[in-house]
Amino acid sequence: MTSFSEALRNATWGDHEAAEGESYLKELMGGRLSAAEYGEMVAQHHFAYAALDGVSRELADHPVAGRFVFPELYREPALERDLATIYGDGWRDRIAPSKATRTLVARIEQMAGWPGGYVAHHYTRYMGDLSGGQFIRMELQRIYGYAKGGGVDFYLFDQVGSLPRFKREYRSRLDAFGETLDERERERVIREVKLAYQLNTEVLAELLDAVRAVA
């Protein structure tokens, strides 16, 4: 049987293929967005991670979900520094969750009642941040000139230590978690990973629509 970590990774392979081509991230990585337009993505991340890390705190003592609660990953302080760098001290008055972000946040908050669903959303966001997110950080530093201390701190995981080692441990925990699930629950978690990916993609699609509307 395919390991659970492999099954989760494979679950969104087709979604990645479908999302290729013109996208918000393509525009961002191409240096075609202003710092303020980049800040819109940071703002939506702020709302999503406030929800995700909030559920993490709720489930910290849960015997299953608690194995996927890592305070060293929490992104809220980093996102606040990034937003202050991009928009200034009044950044809180500049940001609001988009419709797609509100949908994502609502779904994440529902996962406080389903540990498997929490793992699905945690995996979808954080394993992406620890992997491809590192390339995004380097490109953003090149494009906007940001450095450690604000602007791209979202992508810095100094408290984690070795990222490859952490990711190996994370996958090991996923595999152990998968072994506790029957086939029905295993498929349910995989479906939630696909939904999490879809909801996060819709946030980026809405950002791209906003950029085009003012172009």
Side-chain angles (χ1 to χ4, degrees), residues 114-179:
W114 176 33
Y118 161 74
V119 173
H121 284 267
H122 192 275
Y123 161 82
T124 300
R125 281 296 344 171
Y126 275 116
M127 287 300 276
D129 299 333
L130 293 167
S131 300
Q134 299 310 296
F135 170 76
I136 293 174
R137 173 181 59 80
M138 290 186 290
E139 288 299 292
L140 293 176
Q141 288 177 312
R142 178 183 63 81
I143 294 167
Y144 298 106
Y146 293 129
K148 182 177 180 180
V152 291
D153 280 15
F154 168 74
Y155 299 102
L156 295 173
F157 292 88
D158 292 344
Q159 295 182 8
V160 169
S162 168
L163 296 189
R165 183 172 61 246
F166 182 88
K167 289 190 289 184
R168 285 195 299 272
E169 172 61 23
Y170 194 102
R171 293 188 185 101
S172 176
R173 295 190 186 201
L174 282 173
D175 292 338
F177 171 58
E179 290 175 1

Side-chain angles (χ1 to χ4, degrees), residues 9 15 22 24 27 37-38 52 55 65 71 73 75 95 101 117 122 159 162 167 185 192-193 195-196 202 206:
R9 185 179 66 246
D15 301 275
E22 192 169 13
Y24 175 87
E27 295 297 299
E37 288 169 333
Y38 158 58
L52 183 57
V55 174
L73 292 181
R75 293 292 85 193
I95 68 172
T101 296
H122 192 275
Q159 295 182 8
S162 168
K167 289 190 289 184
E185 185 67 5
E192 191 65 30
V193 168
L195 176 61
E202 288 173 357
E206 198 168 56

Side-chain angles (χ1 to χ4, degrees), residues 40-58:
E40 286 298 317
M41 182 180 73
V42 179
Q44 302 315 309
H45 283 346
H46 180 268
F47 294 109
Y49 280 88
L52 183 57
D53 294 345
V55 174
S56 289
R57 294 183 182 95
E58 288 185 52

